[in-house]
């Protein structure tokens, strides 16, 4: 049954897809962001969640049935990630408390729940793959855990149900997003085609040869709505992936052919995109001006650091989704189709030529 939703981080990859999904299903949607972008059908709520008083004021007249938290702010250390991002969740839920309308709160985190935070990413003693929701938290500080704890405490206090959603790397459309592999690879392929540079896989042999999976933003949005409206899914944490598995040794050639470039042979060495793309800002601006693209600032489209982190992992990463399947969620996306759909949308939006 449709209701009123508050999407926190509505201008991001996951938030934007979630707002679109809810609108299609007849929901009234409010989108909260620090700097909202125009989204047809979405009521904009502009506020910085770090400001508790301003958050309370901005939320005073809202009465959402369901709240979808899809945002975070990257900081210089994990200690700061914990301090800032837990406070944002706490301020949000405190701001909604007087209205008393929220029946369900969904939190989107990710596989850093299993792999560890950026400061210790993919290192140390990690749980076995495929990752499963019943695996214990790592014995290390992690802002995902801090966010979860804020939701759990507020749910206990205020009586709403909750769900936690842990996608693998998300494929979707957004500009200015800090974690955006799909658009980063699209920009990289465009630069390689423009210059004749080899389209080199930037990551590790473990990622090139091993099995992996990813998450389409639209599928994740469906999963969020499913959990919010399915009684059996309440008060549960879920992995969320497309449902297929692949090797980058196969996917890299698929992406290369879509852009009309030749994939370079992988020699086993790591070739970080942060290094490969370090001097490309001026080149991208010239391409954007020549082709009439909507975003000439390379840094608002590409996030090489995050793509390097994912593709440079020294271990195979596969995610189990059996928990959702057992409870009735049957959504599926082929990951190459998710990439191709994104690339088409990027062209339609004049973000790549």
């Amino acid at each position: 049954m449709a209701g009123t939703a508050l999407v926190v981080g509505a201008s991001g990859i996951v938030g934007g897809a979630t707002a679109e999904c809810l609108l299609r299903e007849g929901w009234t949607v409010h989108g909260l962001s620090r700097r909202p972008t125009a989204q047809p059908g979405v009521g904009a709520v502009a506020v910085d969640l770090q400001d508790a008083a301003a958050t309370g004021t901005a939320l005073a007249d809202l009465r959402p049935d369901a709240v979808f938290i899809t945002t975070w702010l990257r900081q210089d250390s994990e200690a700061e990630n914990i301090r800032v991002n837990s406070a944002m969740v706490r301020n949000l839920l405190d701001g909604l408390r007087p209205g008393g309308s929220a029946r369900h709160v969904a939190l989107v985190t990710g596989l850093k729940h299993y792999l560890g935070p950026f400061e210790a990413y993919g290192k140390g003693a990690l749980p076995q793959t495929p990752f499963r929701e019943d695996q214990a938290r790592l014995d290390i500080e992690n802002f995902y855990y801090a966010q979860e704890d804020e939701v759990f405490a507020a749910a206990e206090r205020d009586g709403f149900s909750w769900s936690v959603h842990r996608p693998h790397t998300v494929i979707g459309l957004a500009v200015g997003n800090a974690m955006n592999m799909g658009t980063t690879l699209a920009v990289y392929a465009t630069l390689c085609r423009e210059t004749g540079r080899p389209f080199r896989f930037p990551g590790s042999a473990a990622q090139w040869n091993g099995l992996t999976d990813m998450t389409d933003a639209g599928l994740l949005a469906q999963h969020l709505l499913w959990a919010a409206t399915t009684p059996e899914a309440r008060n549960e944490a879920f992995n969320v992936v497309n449902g297929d598995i692949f090797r980058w040794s196969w996917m890299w050639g698929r992406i290369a052919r879509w852009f009309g470039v030749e994939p370079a042979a992988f020699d086993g060495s790591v070739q970080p995109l942060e290094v490969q793309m370090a001097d490309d800002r001026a080149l991208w601006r010239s391409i954007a001006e020549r082709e009439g693209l909507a975003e000439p600032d390379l840094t608002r489209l590409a996030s090489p650091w995050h793509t390097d982190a994912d593709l440079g992992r020294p271990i195979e990463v596969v995610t189990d989704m059996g928990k959702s399947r057992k409870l009735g969620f049957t959504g599926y996306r082929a990951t190459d189709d998710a990439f191709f759909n994104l690339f088409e949308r990027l062209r339609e939006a004049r973000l790549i030529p």
Side-chain angles (χ1 to χ4, degrees), residues 258-276:
W258 198 95
F259 283 96
V261 296
E262 187 67 25
F266 179 64
D267 64 5
S269 64
V270 176
Q271 306 278 344
L273 289 181
E274 274 202 300
V275 175
Q276 293 193 54

Side-chain angles (χ1 to χ4, degrees), residues 112-115 125-128 131-140 145 148 166:
K112 286 189 290 298
H113 183 93
Y114 308 107
L115 288 162
L126 299 175
Q128 287 186 331
F131 294 139
R132 292 184 168 88
E133 297 93 341
D134 60 0
Q135 290 167 325
R137 289 180 175 182
L138 301 176
D139 187 19
I140 188 171
Y145 305 160
E148 285 185 346
R166 299 169 186 159

Side-chain angles (χ1 to χ4, degrees), residues 233-277:
R234 292 171 184 163
N235 302 332
E236 297 284 353
F238 297 102
N239 297 328
V240 193
V241 287
N242 288 336
D244 65 346
I245 55 174
F246 64 93
R247 302 181 199 275
W248 277 106
S249 56
W250 174 81
M251 184 68 76
W252 198 249
R254 299 278 290 163
I255 293 172
R257 285 190 290 276
W258 198 95
F259 283 96
V261 296
E262 187 67 25
F266 179 64
D267 64 5
S269 64
V270 176
Q271 306 278 344
L273 289 181
E274 274 202 300
V275 175
Q276 293 193 54
M277 301 173 69

